Amino acid sequence: MFNARNSVPMNWYPLWKYVLIVVLIFLACLYALPNIFGESPAVQISPKGGQAVTQSLVSNAQQILTSNNIAYSDLSTSTYDVEMKFKTTDQQMAAQEALKSALGDNYIVAINLAPNTPKWLMNVGAYPMKLGLDLRGGMYFLLDVDMQVVVNNKLQNTSDQLSQDLRSQNIRYSGINLVPNMGIAIQFRDPSVSQAARNYISSHYPNLVVSEYPGQPINLLVNFSQQAINQIQDYAVQQTVQVMRNRVNDLGVAEASVAREGPDRVVVELPGVQDAARAKSIIGGTATLKVMLVDEQANPVAAAKGNVPIGDGLFYDANNNPVVLKNQVVLTGNAINGANVGYDQQTSLPVVQVTLSGPEVDNFSQVTGSNIGHLMAIVLVTNTFDKQMLKGKETTITKTNQTVVNVATIQSRLGNNFQITGIGNARAAQDLALTIQAGALPAPVQIVEEKQIGPSLGMENIKMGSISVAIAMLVVMVFVAFYYQVFGLIADFALILNLIFIVAIMSLLPGATLSLPGIAGIVLNVGMAIDANVLIFERIREELRGGTPVQGAIHAGYERAFSTIVDANVTTFIVAIILFAIGTGAVKGFAVTLMIGIVTSMFTAIMVTRGIVNLIYGKRSVKRISIGI
């Protein structure tokens, strides 16, 4: 708007703009508020078998702490765990030690950090920011995918297909088998037939390379081309990442990070998770099922003493009861397509619903159809990887456990799906479904590196990060206030608001996690946010030196600096998007706070500061302003 008398622009905001600014500032303060209450050291107790928490467990835990003179500040319970808060980490550690010793191996006693946010804030959806592994503590896993198994599995499938195709083309071979780490060996008696096979494979399998078997020219060695191997391995890592993400999501860790590292490794970060045993069993272990028939004529007690009938095997259930099964495997984990938790319609008890696909399904259907009325057992095969020192060298030891999880009578012919009953409770069913899903992994994975970062170290990182942000803001605010006077104080107020907006948005975004690199992004935003005001103020000062009236100088300062500010922020925002798209872990954390800070600084440094300036100097005749000139 211009004054009709002297055509000088008058600086003013309509009422709706001030209302918008006030509402946004109120909401930002409300949703940033939970972060000032902090977190308390806590100990979480949960039964190992996934059972629900009982009142006796709560009373027992309270009695243990009382007898050890350890005071807790708060206690809360949920279906599957008890959480006790403490004032200091020393009390937390002492409580964990006392509870572990008294409760024994049947309970998991984990340390954690619990938010102190009041309930009235939680009721309006205001929660503190999710903190990354370096700030909150948690679990870090580096997983290695066995690439040779990936290639061998693919070669085995190709070998089966080749066998069928060569027979269909009447190309007779004397033998075909997989030679580990070399390829598929095909034996022939006639050189002409060998050449015919070479021609057929070369023309119909472009991803295979055919060569003479070393020392046996008449025989062929078939393997994937290097390009095909690279594609197979790349897909295997992608599939592993996806499966791990699904497992992590089912664990309920919203702040978790799963990312590829290098050609054959996957990094899994679980902030806030201190239950190492459960996380490791689901993330690091692999499991699958096999279905076997029960030898109903055998004596399990005699078998447990060593008298196992020929053609049978001795297994144990979860309660360590012996079960004698026939060695014939009716169905393997290769046929498992998925596993989900459901509920039995008759008993309302949790079950695991397993879906099948592939060539094994026909055999499974035939065997179950011919054994109606007989017992069938489902065996869970679990592979875990532990590190042990052997002869002074750290060695990875693979342990295979086979547990009978269910024995049931075959009621009818089974097809593409069946369900596992008798599990016990919903959490145990969920864990079983998660571990069975490991059958979807293209190859075994093993933990090559494992770290557990305690909450106390995370609190130290939070303290140092907060100090760095405070120092950066203090230095900038003092300089700006001294150099630009009243306009500098306005910019300082906008700078504080900018930090509040960043914290509020980080608290609201479901997928945002604050990490140390994220704090670095906030510190960078402090400088970038004040840059916009520096450009505006310097433009105003330049206009004033050139003789422009005060109102015209203010108007020109904001209007003419605006395009420069937008250009600078847009280019930085594009870089932040690229960092977020191609980066992992720490880089993503930095990019997130940088992008949020760019958006909020544009609002606070331009719209908010101009609104305040308009309130102080707008719509009236002013001959001088306090801007350091």
PDB file of all heavy atoms in Angstrom, residues 509-542:
ATOM      1  N   LEU A 509       6.871 -35.132  12.859  1.00  0.00           N
ATOM      2  CA  LEU A 509       7.079 -36.034  11.724  1.00  0.00           C
ATOM      3  C   LEU A 509       7.277 -37.462  12.215  1.00  0.00           C
ATOM      4  O   LEU A 509       8.180 -37.734  13.022  1.00  0.00           O
ATOM      5  CB  LEU A 509       8.292 -35.599  10.903  1.00  0.00           C
ATOM      6  CG  LEU A 509       8.123 -34.334  10.049  1.00  0.00           C
ATOM      7  CD1 LEU A 509       9.416 -34.022   9.306  1.00  0.00           C
ATOM      8  CD2 LEU A 509       6.977 -34.487   9.066  1.00  0.00           C
ATOM      9  N   PRO A 510       6.471 -38.421  11.736  1.00  0.00           N
ATOM     10  CA  PRO A 510       6.564 -39.803  12.235  1.00  0.00           C
ATOM     11  C   PRO A 510       7.887 -40.484  11.891  1.00  0.00           C
ATOM     12  O   PRO A 510       8.349 -41.336  12.626  1.00  0.00           O
ATOM     13  CB  PRO A 510       5.384 -40.509  11.555  1.00  0.00           C
ATOM     14  CG  PRO A 510       5.054 -39.663  10.368  1.00  0.00           C
ATOM     15  CD  PRO A 510       5.387 -38.257  10.751  1.00  0.00           C
ATOM     16  N   GLY A 511       8.493 -40.131  10.772  1.00  0.00           N
ATOM     17  CA  GLY A 511       9.716 -40.821  10.377  1.00  0.00           C
ATOM     18  C   GLY A 511      10.990 -40.068  10.689  1.00  0.00           C
ATOM     19  O   GLY A 511      12.088 -40.527  10.367  1.00  0.00           O
ATOM     20  N   ALA A 512      10.880 -38.892  11.336  1.00  0.00           N
ATOM     21  CA  ALA A 512      12.066 -38.071  11.603  1.00  0.00           C
ATOM     22  C   ALA A 512      12.752 -38.512  12.893  1.00  0.00           C
ATOM     23  O   ALA A 512      12.099 -38.774  13.898  1.00  0.00           O
ATOM     24  CB  ALA A 512      11.672 -36.606  11.703  1.00  0.00           C
ATOM     25  N   THR A 513      14.072 -38.587  12.847  1.00  0.00           N
ATOM     26  CA  THR A 513      14.867 -38.984  14.005  1.00  0.00           C
ATOM     27  C   THR A 513      16.041 -38.024  14.150  1.00  0.00           C
ATOM     28  O   THR A 513      16.764 -37.777  13.185  1.00  0.00           O
ATOM     29  CB  THR A 513      15.404 -40.418  13.836  1.00  0.00           C
ATOM     30  OG1 THR A 513      14.311 -41.307  13.651  1.00  0.00           O
ATOM     31  CG2 THR A 513      16.195 -40.843  15.048  1.00  0.00           C
ATOM     32  N   LEU A 514      16.221 -37.481  15.338  1.00  0.00           N
ATOM     33  CA  LEU A 514      17.324 -36.560  15.586  1.00  0.00           C
ATOM     34  C   LEU A 514      18.567 -37.332  15.985  1.00  0.00           C
ATOM     35  O   LEU A 514      18.535 -38.175  16.883  1.00  0.00           O
ATOM     36  CB  LEU A 514      16.957 -35.557  16.687  1.00  0.00           C
ATOM     37  CG  LEU A 514      18.019 -34.494  16.981  1.00  0.00           C
ATOM     38  CD1 LEU A 514      18.179 -33.557  15.794  1.00  0.00           C
ATOM     39  CD2 LEU A 514      17.681 -33.719  18.239  1.00  0.00           C
ATOM     40  N   SER A 515      19.670 -37.036  15.310  1.00  0.00           N
ATOM     41  CA  SER A 515      20.953 -37.674  15.604  1.00  0.00           C
ATOM     42  C   SER A 515      22.005 -36.580  15.751  1.00  0.00           C
ATOM     43  O   SER A 515      21.724 -35.390  15.570  1.00  0.00           O
ATOM     44  CB  SER A 515      21.338 -38.643  14.484  1.00  0.00           C
ATOM     45  OG  SER A 515      21.428 -37.940  13.253  1.00  0.00           O
ATOM     46  N   LEU A 516      23.225 -36.962  16.059  1.00  0.00           N
ATOM     47  CA  LEU A 516      24.303 -35.974  16.159  1.00  0.00           C
ATOM     48  C   LEU A 516      24.498 -35.206  14.854  1.00  0.00           C
ATOM     49  O   LEU A 516      24.644 -33.981  14.870  1.00  0.00           O
ATOM     50  CB  LEU A 516      25.603 -36.664  16.589  1.00  0.00           C
ATOM     51  CG  LEU A 516      25.798 -36.862  18.098  1.00  0.00           C
ATOM     52  CD1 LEU A 516      27.086 -37.616  18.372  1.00  0.00           C
ATOM     53  CD2 LEU A 516      25.815 -35.524  18.822  1.00  0.00           C
ATOM     54  N   PRO A 517      24.519 -35.884  13.695  1.00  0.00           N
ATOM     55  CA  PRO A 517      24.580 -35.121  12.439  1.00  0.00           C
ATOM     56  C   PRO A 517      23.373 -34.200  12.259  1.00  0.00           C
ATOM     57  O   PRO A 517      23.483 -33.133  11.661  1.00  0.00           O
ATOM     58  CB  PRO A 517      24.601 -36.211  11.364  1.00  0.00           C
ATOM     59  CG  PRO A 517      25.163 -37.406  12.041  1.00  0.00           C
ATOM     60  CD  PRO A 517      24.648 -37.332  13.441  1.00  0.00           C
ATOM     61  N   GLY A 518      22.211 -34.607  12.787  1.00  0.00           N
ATOM     62  CA  GLY A 518      21.038 -33.748  12.730  1.00  0.00           C
ATOM     63  C   GLY A 518      21.243 -32.478  13.540  1.00  0.00           C
ATOM     64  O   GLY A 518      20.820 -31.387  13.128  1.00  0.00           O
ATOM     65  N   ILE A 519      21.903 -32.606  14.697  1.00  0.00           N
ATOM     66  CA  ILE A 519      22.230 -31.421  15.500  1.00  0.00           C
ATOM     67  C   ILE A 519      23.177 -30.517  14.725  1.00  0.00           C
ATOM     68  O   ILE A 519      23.062 -29.284  14.764  1.00  0.00           O
ATOM     69  CB  ILE A 519      22.835 -31.847  16.853  1.00  0.00           C
ATOM     70  CG1 ILE A 519      21.770 -32.557  17.705  1.00  0.00           C
ATOM     71  CG2 ILE A 519      23.385 -30.641  17.601  1.00  0.00           C
ATOM     72  CD1 ILE A 519      22.280 -33.076  19.029  1.00  0.00           C
ATOM     73  N   ALA A 520      24.111 -31.127  13.988  1.00  0.00           N
ATOM     74  CA  ALA A 520      25.010 -30.331  13.139  1.00  0.00           C
ATOM     75  C   ALA A 520      24.221 -29.552  12.089  1.00  0.00           C
ATOM     76  O   ALA A 520      24.539 -28.393  11.772  1.00  0.00           O
ATOM     77  CB  ALA A 520      26.025 -31.249  12.462  1.00  0.00           C
ATOM     78  N   GLY A 521      23.168 -30.187  11.557  1.00  0.00           N
ATOM     79  CA  GLY A 521      22.310 -29.498  10.595  1.00  0.00           C
ATOM     80  C   GLY A 521      21.596 -28.315  11.233  1.00  0.00           C
ATOM     81  O   GLY A 521      21.423 -27.260  10.598  1.00  0.00           O
ATOM     82  N   ILE A 522      21.195 -28.447  12.507  1.00  0.00           N
ATOM     83  CA  ILE A 522      20.537 -27.340  13.214  1.00  0.00           C
ATOM     84  C   ILE A 522      21.518 -26.190  13.425  1.00  0.00           C
ATOM     85  O   ILE A 522      21.171 -25.014  13.242  1.00  0.00           O
ATOM     86  CB  ILE A 522      19.969 -27.829  14.562  1.00  0.00           C
ATOM     87  CG1 ILE A 522      18.827 -28.824  14.313  1.00  0.00           C
ATOM     88  CG2 ILE A 522      19.475 -26.660  15.403  1.00  0.00           C
ATOM     89  CD1 ILE A 522      18.270 -29.450  15.581  1.00  0.00           C
ATOM     90  N   VAL A 523      22.759 -26.515  13.810  1.00  0.00           N
ATOM     91  CA  VAL A 523      23.776 -25.476  13.995  1.00  0.00           C
ATOM     92  C   VAL A 523      24.013 -24.725  12.680  1.00  0.00           C
ATOM     93  O   VAL A 523      24.128 -23.491  12.659  1.00  0.00           O
ATOM     94  CB  VAL A 523      25.093 -26.092  14.518  1.00  0.00           C
ATOM     95  CG1 VAL A 523      26.196 -25.047  14.566  1.00  0.00           C
ATOM     96  CG2 VAL A 523      24.887 -26.710  15.893  1.00  0.00           C
ATOM     97  N   LEU A 524      24.071 -25.470  11.578  1.00  0.00           N
ATOM     98  CA  LEU A 524      24.239 -24.837  10.271  1.00  0.00           C
ATOM     99  C   LEU A 524      23.055 -23.926   9.957  1.00  0.00           C
ATOM    100  O   LEU A 524      23.218 -22.835   9.398  1.00  0.00           O
ATOM    101  CB  LEU A 524      24.384 -25.900   9.187  1.00  0.00           C
ATOM    102  CG  LEU A 524      24.526 -25.407   7.737  1.00  0.00           C
ATOM    103  CD1 LEU A 524      25.764 -24.547   7.584  1.00  0.00           C
ATOM    104  CD2 LEU A 524      24.579 -26.591   6.779  1.00  0.00           C
ATOM    105  N   ASN A 525      21.840 -24.367  10.334  1.00  0.00           N
ATOM    106  CA  ASN A 525      20.649 -23.556  10.087  1.00  0.00           C
ATOM    107  C   ASN A 525      20.657 -22.252  10.865  1.00  0.00           C
ATOM    108  O   ASN A 525      20.056 -21.265  10.429  1.00  0.00           O
ATOM    109  CB  ASN A 525      19.390 -24.353  10.458  1.00  0.00           C
ATOM    110  CG  ASN A 525      18.863 -25.156   9.286  1.00  0.00           C
ATOM    111  OD1 ASN A 525      18.610 -24.598   8.225  1.00  0.00           O
ATOM    112  ND2 ASN A 525      18.720 -26.448   9.466  1.00  0.00           N
ATOM    113  N   VAL A 526      21.316 -22.242  12.027  1.00  0.00           N
ATOM    114  CA  VAL A 526      21.410 -21.010  12.805  1.00  0.00           C
ATOM    115  C   VAL A 526      22.090 -19.923  11.977  1.00  0.00           C
ATOM    116  O   VAL A 526      21.623 -18.784  11.896  1.00  0.00           O
ATOM    117  CB  VAL A 526      22.177 -21.256  14.121  1.00  0.00           C
ATOM    118  CG1 VAL A 526      22.503 -19.940  14.814  1.00  0.00           C
ATOM    119  CG2 VAL A 526      21.372 -22.151  15.042  1.00  0.00           C
ATOM    120  N   GLY A 527      23.200 -20.291  11.331  1.00  0.00           N
ATOM    121  CA  GLY A 527      23.901 -19.325  10.481  1.00  0.00           C
ATOM    122  C   GLY A 527      23.111 -18.975   9.235  1.00  0.00           C
ATOM    123  O   GLY A 527      23.053 -17.803   8.828  1.00  0.00           O
ATOM    124  N   MET A 528      22.472 -19.999   8.623  1.00  0.00           N
ATOM    125  CA  MET A 528      21.729 -19.752   7.392  1.00  0.00           C
ATOM    126  C   MET A 528      20.498 -18.882   7.648  1.00  0.00           C
ATOM    127  O   MET A 528      20.132 -18.048   6.822  1.00  0.00           O
ATOM    128  CB  MET A 528      21.296 -21.079   6.772  1.00  0.00           C
ATOM    129  CG  MET A 528      22.438 -21.897   6.223  1.00  0.00           C
ATOM    130  SD  MET A 528      21.888 -23.478   5.581  1.00  0.00           S
ATOM    131  CE  MET A 528      20.769 -22.959   4.303  1.00  0.00           C
ATOM    132  N   ALA A 529      19.841 -19.084   8.805  1.00  0.00           N
ATOM    133  CA  ALA A 529      18.635 -18.316   9.114  1.00  0.00           C
ATOM    134  C   ALA A 529      18.970 -16.842   9.305  1.00  0.00           C
ATOM    135  O   ALA A 529      18.209 -15.960   8.884  1.00  0.00           O
ATOM    136  CB  ALA A 529      17.971 -18.880  10.369  1.00  0.00           C
ATOM    137  N   ILE A 530      20.088 -16.552   9.942  1.00  0.00           N
ATOM    138  CA  ILE A 530      20.458 -15.153  10.160  1.00  0.00           C
ATOM    139  C   ILE A 530      20.959 -14.510   8.875  1.00  0.00           C
ATOM    140  O   ILE A 530      20.908 -13.284   8.722  1.00  0.00           O
ATOM    141  CB  ILE A 530      21.513 -15.047  11.292  1.00  0.00           C
ATOM    142  CG1 ILE A 530      21.318 -13.747  12.085  1.00  0.00           C
ATOM    143  CG2 ILE A 530      22.913 -15.173  10.761  1.00  0.00           C
ATOM    144  CD1 ILE A 530      20.029 -13.682  12.854  1.00  0.00           C
ATOM    145  N   ASP A 531      21.453 -15.329   7.935  1.00  0.00           N
ATOM    146  CA  ASP A 531      21.913 -14.798   6.647  1.00  0.00           C
ATOM    147  C   ASP A 531      20.813 -14.032   5.928  1.00  0.00           C
ATOM    148  O   ASP A 531      21.051 -12.991   5.309  1.00  0.00           O
ATOM    149  CB  ASP A 531      22.402 -15.937   5.740  1.00  0.00           C
ATOM    150  CG  ASP A 531      23.849 -16.296   6.014  1.00  0.00           C
ATOM    151  OD1 ASP A 531      24.495 -15.551   6.775  1.00  0.00           O
ATOM    152  OD2 ASP A 531      24.324 -17.310   5.483  1.00  0.00           O
ATOM    153  N   ALA A 532      19.584 -14.579   5.981  1.00  0.00           N
ATOM    154  CA  ALA A 532      18.462 -13.928   5.296  1.00  0.00           C
ATOM    155  C   ALA A 532      18.223 -12.536   5.872  1.00  0.00           C
ATOM    156  O   ALA A 532      18.025 -11.566   5.125  1.00  0.00           O
ATOM    157  CB  ALA A 532      17.211 -14.781   5.435  1.00  0.00           C
ATOM    158  N   ASN A 533      18.270 -12.413   7.192  1.00  0.00           N
ATOM    159  CA  ASN A 533      18.074 -11.102   7.806  1.00  0.00           C
ATOM    160  C   ASN A 533      19.232 -10.155   7.522  1.00  0.00           C
ATOM    161  O   ASN A 533      19.033  -8.937   7.364  1.00  0.00           O
ATOM    162  CB  ASN A 533      17.869 -11.251   9.313  1.00  0.00           C
ATOM    163  CG  ASN A 533      16.500 -11.828   9.653  1.00  0.00           C
ATOM    164  OD1 ASN A 533      16.390 -12.805  10.385  1.00  0.00           O
ATOM    165  ND2 ASN A 533      15.440 -11.233   9.119  1.00  0.00           N
ATOM    166  N   VAL A 534      20.437 -10.696   7.466  1.00  0.00           N
ATOM    167  CA  VAL A 534      21.596  -9.862   7.127  1.00  0.00           C
ATOM    168  C   VAL A 534      21.428  -9.258   5.733  1.00  0.00           C
ATOM    169  O   VAL A 534      21.679  -8.068   5.521  1.00  0.00           O
ATOM    170  CB  VAL A 534      22.897 -10.687   7.216  1.00  0.00           C
ATOM    171  CG1 VAL A 534      24.065  -9.912   6.598  1.00  0.00           C
ATOM    172  CG2 VAL A 534      23.209 -11.034   8.659  1.00  0.00           C
ATOM    173  N   LEU A 535      20.990 -10.077   4.780  1.00  0.00           N
ATOM    174  CA  LEU A 535      20.751  -9.565   3.423  1.00  0.00           C
ATOM    175  C   LEU A 535      19.694  -8.464   3.420  1.00  0.00           C
ATOM    176  O   LEU A 535      19.850  -7.425   2.759  1.00  0.00           O
ATOM    177  CB  LEU A 535      20.317 -10.710   2.501  1.00  0.00           C
ATOM    178  CG  LEU A 535      21.395 -11.704   2.076  1.00  0.00           C
ATOM    179  CD1 LEU A 535      20.760 -12.893   1.347  1.00  0.00           C
ATOM    180  CD2 LEU A 535      22.416 -11.035   1.181  1.00  0.00           C
ATOM    181  N   ILE A 536      18.609  -8.682   4.159  1.00  0.00           N
ATOM    182  CA  ILE A 536      17.522  -7.701   4.213  1.00  0.00           C
ATOM    183  C   ILE A 536      17.999  -6.412   4.888  1.00  0.00           C
ATOM    184  O   ILE A 536      17.783  -5.301   4.362  1.00  0.00           O
ATOM    185  CB  ILE A 536      16.315  -8.288   4.960  1.00  0.00           C
ATOM    186  CG1 ILE A 536      15.705  -9.452   4.166  1.00  0.00           C
ATOM    187  CG2 ILE A 536      15.258  -7.218   5.208  1.00  0.00           C
ATOM    188  CD1 ILE A 536      14.683 -10.263   4.943  1.00  0.00           C
ATOM    189  N   PHE A 537      18.646  -6.546   6.032  1.00  0.00           N
ATOM    190  CA  PHE A 537      19.074  -5.362   6.781  1.00  0.00           C
ATOM    191  C   PHE A 537      20.117  -4.556   6.017  1.00  0.00           C
ATOM    192  O   PHE A 537      20.099  -3.318   6.032  1.00  0.00           O
ATOM    193  CB  PHE A 537      19.623  -5.769   8.153  1.00  0.00           C
ATOM    194  CG  PHE A 537      18.597  -6.442   9.044  1.00  0.00           C
ATOM    195  CD1 PHE A 537      18.986  -7.172  10.156  1.00  0.00           C
ATOM    196  CD2 PHE A 537      17.238  -6.342   8.765  1.00  0.00           C
ATOM    197  CE1 PHE A 537      18.046  -7.784  10.972  1.00  0.00           C
ATOM    198  CE2 PHE A 537      16.287  -6.959   9.576  1.00  0.00           C
ATOM    199  CZ  PHE A 537      16.700  -7.683  10.675  1.00  0.00           C
ATOM    200  N   GLU A 538      21.042  -5.259   5.377  1.00  0.00           N
ATOM    201  CA  GLU A 538      22.054  -4.538   4.593  1.00  0.00           C
ATOM    202  C   GLU A 538      21.415  -3.812   3.415  1.00  0.00           C
ATOM    203  O   GLU A 538      21.842  -2.717   3.026  1.00  0.00           O
ATOM    204  CB  GLU A 538      23.126  -5.507   4.109  1.00  0.00           C
ATOM    205  CG  GLU A 538      24.089  -5.968   5.171  1.00  0.00           C
ATOM    206  CD  GLU A 538      24.863  -4.811   5.798  1.00  0.00           C
ATOM    207  OE1 GLU A 538      25.218  -3.857   5.060  1.00  0.00           O
ATOM    208  OE2 GLU A 538      25.107  -4.856   7.021  1.00  0.00           O
ATOM    209  N   ARG A 539      20.389  -4.408   2.838  1.00  0.00           N
ATOM    210  CA  ARG A 539      19.690  -3.733   1.729  1.00  0.00           C
ATOM    211  C   ARG A 539      18.959  -2.488   2.238  1.00  0.00           C
ATOM    212  O   ARG A 539      18.974  -1.446   1.569  1.00  0.00           O
ATOM    213  CB  ARG A 539      18.675  -4.706   1.108  1.00  0.00           C
ATOM    214  CG  ARG A 539      17.979  -4.164  -0.120  1.00  0.00           C
ATOM    215  CD  ARG A 539      18.930  -3.990  -1.263  1.00  0.00           C
ATOM    216  NE  ARG A 539      18.298  -3.286  -2.369  1.00  0.00           N
ATOM    217  CZ  ARG A 539      18.885  -3.051  -3.535  1.00  0.00           C
ATOM    218  NH1 ARG A 539      20.124  -3.491  -3.744  1.00  0.00           N
ATOM    219  NH2 ARG A 539      18.262  -2.387  -4.489  1.00  0.00           N
ATOM    220  N   ILE A 540      18.351  -2.588   3.422  1.00  0.00           N
ATOM    221  CA  ILE A 540      17.689  -1.426   4.015  1.00  0.00           C
ATOM    222  C   ILE A 540      18.703  -0.314   4.280  1.00  0.00           C
ATOM    223  O   ILE A 540      18.455   0.872   3.978  1.00  0.00           O
ATOM    224  CB  ILE A 540      16.957  -1.830   5.308  1.00  0.00           C
ATOM    225  CG1 ILE A 540      15.789  -2.769   4.999  1.00  0.00           C
ATOM    226  CG2 ILE A 540      16.448  -0.595   6.061  1.00  0.00           C
ATOM    227  CD1 ILE A 540      15.113  -3.349   6.234  1.00  0.00           C
ATOM    228  N   ARG A 541      19.840  -0.666   4.837  1.00  0.00           N
ATOM    229  CA  ARG A 541      20.873   0.329   5.127  1.00  0.00           C
ATOM    230  C   ARG A 541      21.381   0.989   3.848  1.00  0.00           C
ATOM    231  O   ARG A 541      21.646   2.192   3.804  1.00  0.00           O
ATOM    232  CB  ARG A 541      22.023  -0.333   5.898  1.00  0.00           C
ATOM    233  CG  ARG A 541      21.628  -0.782   7.300  1.00  0.00           C
ATOM    234  CD  ARG A 541      22.660  -1.644   7.966  1.00  0.00           C
ATOM    235  NE  ARG A 541      23.863  -0.899   8.326  1.00  0.00           N
ATOM    236  CZ  ARG A 541      24.832  -1.395   9.116  1.00  0.00           C
ATOM    237  NH1 ARG A 541      24.713  -2.621   9.592  1.00  0.00           N
ATOM    238  NH2 ARG A 541      25.888  -0.678   9.392  1.00  0.00           N
ATOM    239  N   GLU A 542      21.523   0.190   2.797  1.00  0.00           N
ATOM    240  CA  GLU A 542      21.970   0.729   1.512  1.00  0.00           C
ATOM    241  C   GLU A 542      20.966   1.739   0.960  1.00  0.00           C
ATOM    242  O   GLU A 542      21.334   2.799   0.428  1.00  0.00           O
ATOM    243  CB  GLU A 542      22.170  -0.418   0.523  1.00  0.00           C
ATOM    244  CG  GLU A 542      22.745   0.008  -0.814  1.00  0.00           C
ATOM    245  CD  GLU A 542      22.921  -1.161  -1.762  1.00  0.00           C
ATOM    246  OE1 GLU A 542      23.037  -2.303  -1.272  1.00  0.00           O
ATOM    247  OE2 GLU A 542      22.930  -0.935  -2.984  1.00  0.00           O
TER     248      GLU A 542
END
